[in-house]
Amino acid sequence: MSSSVPATDPTVYDSFKTKWSTLPDSAESWLARAKAVSGVLAQDAAQRDQENKSPRAEIALLKHSGLLKLLGPKKYGGGEQPWSVGYQAIREVAKGDGSIGMLLGYHLLWSTTANVVGTPEQIERTHELIITNNYFVGGAVNPRDSDLKITSDGDDLVFNGAKFLNTGGVVSDLTVLEGVLEGTESHIFALVETRQPGIQFAHNWNSIGLRLTESGDALGWDTDTKKPREDILLTSFAALLLPTIQLVFSNFYLGIAQGALAFASQYTKTNTRPWPFGGDNKDSATEEFYILERYGEYFAHLRAAEALADRAGDKLTALYTKYGSNRAAITAEERGEVAEWIASVKIVTTDAGLKVTSGIFEVTGARATGLKYGLDRFWRDVRTHTLHDPVAYKRREVGRYALLGEHPTPTWYT
């Protein structure tokens, strides 16, 4: 990384190396750890958002917490938790800092990609590499950009090209690359070391939201035949990769919105003044009818979204459990069913997230727009990522399922 690029200082979290010297040993304790991390991040989240520095300290905090290992096998030092717990952990961290919740989500996805599109041997190698080294994994996989071009000289694969989005790449130890093999339509993933001359970053991520995400082995390749592993890449199990990441998105949308409501609630209780010209004047803002009504509405919608997200997470986890050792047995219908649960979550969390993060200003008051409070960061974070793929197409997709019983054709966004 260029020395001219400002970054947060990892040493500020050194005390957590010893505080969290052992990994949690149950789902409940893993979520408690995620909640603790969220609390640490929330303390200065607004300030860090405004400074917009590369989040090296925040990645160090995730490493100290053990959360990067949450899904990894115990034999290599991981937590061996199911995706259902992973999603809840993402949500917890996002409550305190949406950017870091997003980075954790992408890491958990990329660090387990081999489970979906790798061979048994590749699965073991990648888990051992990532977990034993406590590596953070970023990814340069954005289907809207031109695909990286892959050429083969027989022994090596060479990726060439550029990606606008490379979430977490700048602060990662390993980067997932994806591209199309020259002369074919076959997509191949590669997990490579980030710090090498062949990977360069433009350091040009300066979006309105998710400002700290630094978004700016060859899986699916047969080293014996020197050809793509079509037996893996064309299965319905491999197509689970896309619903898996879509549910990552929905959970950090939900976590950001929940964090916004909690932040606003504390502000309302301590700072918001009652309106003195309404004709039904109250002594406290917390007694005002419209404020109580609005908080009730927001809370109910987020509680419903959380229940739906958890249900979808359980259904996806069940498929991974059922077919993890027999990937070819999963049917297109089973994959389609879980994809529609997850598409439903995407619709609901997008709508609820935008509604809550924009509406909280109405129950906090004009002074809450002060830059020092950073209340706008919640809306900016949700608004930025919900544009990742238009939710209107998710509504149409679910509509075809509900009306016509059609399962979606797997795509890069379905």
Side-chain angles (χ1 to χ4, degrees):
M1 184 187 75
S2 170
S3 58
S4 64
V5 179
T8 52
D9 180 6
T11 63
V12 300
Y13 296 125
D14 277 354
S15 63
F16 292 98
K17 290 180 182 179
T18 53
K19 181 176 181 179
W20 292 329
S21 59
T22 59
L23 294 183
D25 57 5
S26 67
E28 292 75 17
S29 56
W30 275 106
L31 296 179
R33 179 68 56 84
K35 186 175 182 178
V37 169
S38 183
V40 173
L41 293 170
Q43 293 175 20
D44 62 348
Q47 177 185 343
R48 289 184 294 100
D49 171 77
Q50 291 163 18
E51 292 175 346
N52 195 23
K53 294 180 179 179
S54 188
R56 294 195 174 276
E58 294 83 342
I59 295 302
L61 181 66
L62 290 180
K63 289 185 175 185
H64 299 333
S65 73
L67 288 175
L68 300 184
K69 303 178 179 183
L70 188 150
L71 301 181
K74 287 185 177 179
K75 63 182 176 181
Y76 298 126
E80 205 165 306
Q81 294 296 308
W83 259 112
S84 54
V85 176
Y87 287 129
Q88 293 178 57
I90 293 165
R91 189 189 310 159
E92 283 295 336
V93 174
K95 290 177 184 178
D97 189 320
S99 291
I100 309 309
M102 176 178 163
L103 287 178
L104 175 62
Y106 273 82
H107 163 82
L108 293 177
L109 184 282
W110 297 134
S111 66
T112 57
T113 297
N115 292 358
V116 184
V117 298
T119 65
E121 294 78 14
Q122 289 173 327
I123 292 171
E124 293 301 316
R125 284 201 301 271
T126 56
H127 280 314
E128 183 176 13
L129 174 67
I130 294 167
I131 300 301
T132 59
N133 291 287
N134 201 16
Y135 280 157
F136 174 75
V137 185
V141 180
N142 177 24
R144 290 298 302 275
D145 290 345
S146 298
D147 288 306
L148 298 181
K149 294 179 174 59
I150 305 173
T151 57
S152 170
D153 65 4
D155 293 322
D156 297 310
L157 293 178
V158 180
F159 287 71
N160 276 299
K163 291 284 188 179
F164 173 67
L165 294 175
N166 56 85
T167 304
V170 172
V171 290
S172 68
D173 301 296
L174 301 173
T175 296
V176 174
L177 304 177
E178 174 275 327
V180 174
L181 182 64
E182 186 178 44
T184 76
E185 296 182 358
S186 297
H187 289 262
I188 298 172
F189 295 85
L191 188 65
V192 301
E193 291 186 4
T194 301
R195 294 172 184 82
Q196 57 170 294
I199 295 181
Q200 299 181 19
F201 297 99
H203 301 289
N204 60 352
W205 179 249
N206 191 23
S207 188
I208 66 168
L210 295 168
R211 293 165 62 79
L212 305 187
T213 58
E214 287 288 20
S215 300
D217 268 299
L219 307 177
W221 178 256
D222 192 317
T223 56
D224 293 327
T225 65
K226 312 301 181 188
K227 294 180 180 179
R229 287 290 303 266
E230 305 292 359
D231 58 319
I232 294 175
L233 296 175
L234 298 181
T235 66
S236 293
F237 192 90
L240 282 179
L241 187 63
L242 284 308
T244 301
I245 196 168
Q246 285 285 323
L247 196 51
V248 167
F249 299 164
S250 292
N251 273 283
F252 63 73
Y253 300 166
L254 178 55
I256 292 167
Q258 291 172 324
L261 193 65
F263 187 98
S265 176
Q266 186 61 31
Y267 184 95
T268 296
K269 288 185 288 187
T270 56
N271 293 301
T272 302
R273 296 176 295 177
W275 186 249
F277 306 110
D280 182 23
N281 298 349
K282 305 297 183 183
D283 294 331
S284 169
T286 60
E287 297 175 354
E288 296 207 64
F289 175 83
Y290 85 95
I291 288 181
L292 293 171
E293 179 270 342
R294 197 60 54 88
Y295 271 107
E297 179 184 7
Y298 294 161
F299 182 81
H301 280 85
L302 292 181
R303 175 172 276 182
E306 184 173 51
L308 180 61
D310 285 344
R311 182 80 178 273
D314 288 342
K315 287 186 173 293
L316 181 63
T317 294
L319 285 187
Y320 276 121
T321 301
K322 182 177 180 180
Y323 294 110
S325 59
N326 187 19
R327 291 182 285 185
I330 188 174
T331 67
E333 289 73 21
E334 288 174 303
R335 188 267 182 198
E337 287 287 333
V338 80
E340 290 313 279
W341 274 95
I342 291 170
S344 298
V345 179
K346 181 73 173 291
I347 294 168
V348 171
T349 54
T350 296
D351 291 347
L354 291 172
K355 182 176 185 176
V356 171
T357 57
S358 61
I360 53 176
F361 291 96
E362 299 173 16
V363 292
T364 51
R367 293 188 299 177
T369 61
L371 189 63
K372 64 180 179 179
Y373 300 115
L375 196 59
D376 60 314
R377 67 185 171 91
F378 299 103
W379 177 83
R380 288 188 288 102
D381 286 351
V382 173
R383 179 69 284 177
T384 296
H385 202 280
T386 51
L387 298 173
H388 178 276
D389 51 296
V391 74
Y393 287 94
K394 285 287 186 290
R395 294 192 181 99
R396 182 186 69 176
E397 175 192 320
V398 174
R400 297 190 70 87
Y401 172 76
L403 183 63
L404 305 172
E406 293 182 7
H407 292 115
T409 300
T411 71
W412 281 109
Y413 292 94
T414 304

